[in-house]
Amino acid sequence: MPIPSDPARRLLKSKYEAAKHQPVAYVDETYRDGQFGETPFYVLTAVVLAPEVRYATRAALMSIVPDGYWHTTDALMTESGRKTTRELVGFMAEYKDPCILSVRHELQDFTSLESMRASCLRTLMSALSQGRSTDPGWDPVRLVIMEARRHQKDQARDQHTARQARSEGILPRTFELFHTSPTLEQLLWLPDLVCAAYRRRLTHGEDYLDPLESQMVILESP
C-alpha cells in the first residue's frame, strides 16, 4: 500500500528513501508507574522489517483490519478484538520478524518515568544499531520509526536521548529517530501489538505472546 502524498506522509516517505535498502525498526511503548502499589515497569518494543517486506506487510495488516484503525489495548476489551489480536499475532509468527523488547522494572517515583524511558531507549537503539547475528537476528538498523508522543516536548526528550547516544559513540552518526502517527504508518501496529501483549502477560498472565517466543529478544535496561 503506497504512502499517501500529503506533507506528513511525504516526510515519512523521504525517511524511507534515505534508508534505502536498510531494515527499519518500528517502536512503541507500554508502562505502569506503580502509583497504586503495583509492580512498575517500562517497555519499549521494536519490530524490525526488511525493506522488501514493508509494502506486503502493510497491505496484509490493512486486510486484517480493513477499517484502518488499530489499538491493541482497546481491541482486547471485546471478543472480536481479541480474535483479531490473535490473528495479527499469528501473522507475525508466520513471518518471524524480530521483536526486541527493552524492559526496565525500577521506579523510585512517578517523575522517574522519563528516566526509565530514556534508559530503555538507549538500550534498544544500541541493540538495533549493532544488529545481531544469532537467531532471531537482524542487520544493523539506521532508522527507527517511533509512535509520536502526545506533546512535542516529550518527543524532544527522545531526540535528546538519541543525540546524546550519538555523541557518546553508542550510536553511529547516521542513526535517526523519527516520530510519526500509526494513522500514517500502519506498521506501527506491530510494536503496539507486542507491547500490549507483553503488558497483558505481566499484569494478567495471558498468553497472546506465546506464538512469538522464538522471534523475541528481551533486553533488561540498566
Side-chain angles (χ1 to χ4, degrees), residues 83-137:
K83 180 179 178 181
T84 304
T85 296
R86 293 197 182 279
E87 186 176 357
L88 288 168
V89 168
F91 169 77
M92 291 187 69
E94 181 179 357
Y95 290 98
K96 304 292 184 186
D97 299 307
C99 305
I100 305 95
L101 290 77
S102 179
V103 184
R104 186 166 181 178
H105 296 286
E106 297 177 9
L107 178 61
Q108 302 302 318
D109 54 62
F110 183 74
T111 60
S112 67
L113 275 176
E114 282 297 330
S115 66
M116 291 177 77
R117 179 185 178 93
S119 174
C120 288
L121 185 56
R122 283 171 64 92
T123 298
L124 183 63
M125 291 188 300
S126 176
L128 290 171
S129 70
Q130 293 175 34
R132 175 175 161 130
S133 58
T134 56
D135 192 38

Side-chain angles (χ1 to χ4, degrees), residues 30-115:
T30 188
Y31 62 85
R32 187 166 68 180
D33 57 44
Q35 287 188 91
F36 304 108
E38 300 168 316
T39 302
F41 56 80
Y42 208 108
V43 181
L44 285 174
T45 297
V47 177
V48 179
L49 294 181
E52 62 269 18
V53 305
R54 284 198 297 262
Y55 180 97
T57 302
R58 195 182 293 116
L61 293 177
M62 292 297 289
S63 70
I64 296 171
V65 188
D67 66 2
Y69 173 81
W70 180 258
H71 188 239
T72 311
T73 300
D74 294 340
L76 289 174
M77 298 177 69
T78 67
E79 184 58 40
S80 63
R82 289 189 287 272
K83 180 179 178 181
T84 304
T85 296
R86 293 197 182 279
E87 186 176 357
L88 288 168
V89 168
F91 169 77
M92 291 187 69
E94 181 179 357
Y95 290 98
K96 304 292 184 186
D97 299 307
C99 305
I100 305 95
L101 290 77
S102 179
V103 184
R104 186 166 181 178
H105 296 286
E106 297 177 9
L107 178 61
Q108 302 302 318
D109 54 62
F110 183 74
T111 60
S112 67
L113 275 176
E114 282 297 330
S115 66

Side-chain angles (χ1 to χ4, degrees), residues 5-6 23 34 38 46 56 78 92 96 98 168 174 186-187 189 192 211 216 218:
S5 88
D6 58 59
E38 300 168 316
T78 67
M92 291 187 69
K96 304 292 184 186
E168 295 172 8
T174 55
Q186 292 80 22
L187 295 176
W189 296 355
D192 173 83
M216 287 172 52
I218 298 179

